[in-house]
Structure formats: structure tokens, C-alpha cells
Amino acid sequence: MNWFSSQYWQQRDMERMIGKWLRAGVFLSATVALLGGILYLQQVHEIPDYKTFHGAAAQFRYLSGILHGVAAFDGASIIQLAVVLLIATPILRIAFSVLAFAIEKDKLYVIITLIVLCIILFGMFSGLGG
């Protein structure tokens, strides 16, 4: 079994495999959100004030803050991690597509997919969005 041969990947339906990855990512995100929600309901005993918008707390604006909160079993941080996982799922799908096109030796689609992936990653990590 050679994982990097085009014959191996042609025998498996690439779209079906990508679909399974997407479903697994969504299921993982939903499971993490459910666990975080249960933990959050156990930790918070007050009714939130929805009349005024306070925005996201500083610890939820960066991945390091979210991971720090997850390590401390903070329910809100675990819910935020679920959102990050949900966002990461289609991005991993694009990265997997680059690999699939490279194995199929389709240079044009490798380049196009890499451009799309770079644009998404630049948009996420450049800080230009605000």
C-alpha cells in the first residue's frame, strides 16, 4: 500500500474521503461544544445580561488564550475551541485538496488551491480584518 501513488487515491473516491473528513470535523466540533456547554452551565450560575453588548473577552480573541482556558477546564473556552475546530475543518479540507491534487499531478489545481489556502490563512493571521 503506497499512500503517495495516484493509483491508490484513484481507487478510493477522493470526494467521499473529503466528505468523511468534513463530517468528522463537524462531529468533533459539535461534541466539544456539547461538553463545553455542559461544563459552562455547571460553572455559571447567573443570567447573562443581553441588553448591552460587551463583545468577546480578551482571552477568546487568540488561540493561546482559548487553549489556556481549555487547560483550566473553563466551559466558555471549550465552547470557543469548538468554534475554532468548526472553522478549521473546511480549511483542512482545502489543505487536503492540495495534497490530493499533488498526488494526481494536477499542477494547475495545486496552484489554484494553494492560492486560495494562502488567501484564507493570510486573512486569518494578518490581523487586517480588525
Side-chain angles (χ1 to χ4, degrees), residues 14-15 18 92-102 109-110 113:
M14 219 37 170
E15 293 299 322
I18 290 172
L92 288 177
R93 186 252 190 260
I94 295 171
F96 187 70
S97 295
V98 171
L99 179 67
F101 289 133
Y109 281 103
V110 168
T113 311

Side-chain angles (χ1 to χ4, degrees), residues 50-67:
Y50 290 117
K51 293 179 182 176
T52 55
F53 180 72
H54 300 287
Q59 72 183 47
F60 301 133
R61 293 182 185 165
Y62 301 99
L63 187 59
S64 60
I66 294 170
L67 293 177

Side-chain angles (χ1 to χ4, degrees), residues 10-95:
Q10 286 174 352
Q11 291 174 350
R12 280 120 184 103
D13 189 4
M14 219 37 170
E15 293 299 322
R16 183 178 293 170
M17 289 182 71
I18 290 172
K20 287 180 181 178
W21 282 70
L22 288 173
R23 281 192 294 273
V26 170
F27 180 74
L28 177 66
S29 174
T31 303
V32 171
L34 179 66
L35 295 175
I38 292 170
L39 195 60
Y40 179 79
L41 290 175
Q42 289 177 346
Q43 293 172 344
V44 176
H45 302 288
E46 60 188 43
I47 298 174
D49 179 23
Y50 290 117
K51 293 179 182 176
T52 55
F53 180 72
H54 300 287
Q59 72 183 47
F60 301 133
R61 293 182 185 165
Y62 301 99
L63 187 59
S64 60
I66 294 170
L67 293 177
H68 182 74
V70 169
F73 292 105
D74 178 37
S77 295
I78 295 173
I79 293 171
Q80 196 70 15
L81 177 66
V83 173
V84 170
L85 289 173
L86 192 61
I87 292 171
T89 300
I91 295 171
L92 288 177
R93 186 252 190 260
I94 295 171

Side-chain angles (χ1 to χ4, degrees), residues 1-11 103-105:
M1 176 173 64
N2 185 3
W3 285 23
F4 295 102
S5 70
S6 61
Q7 185 180 9
Y8 175 82
W9 290 102
Q10 286 174 352
Q11 291 174 350
I103 290 172
E104 293 175 356
K105 297 180 180 163

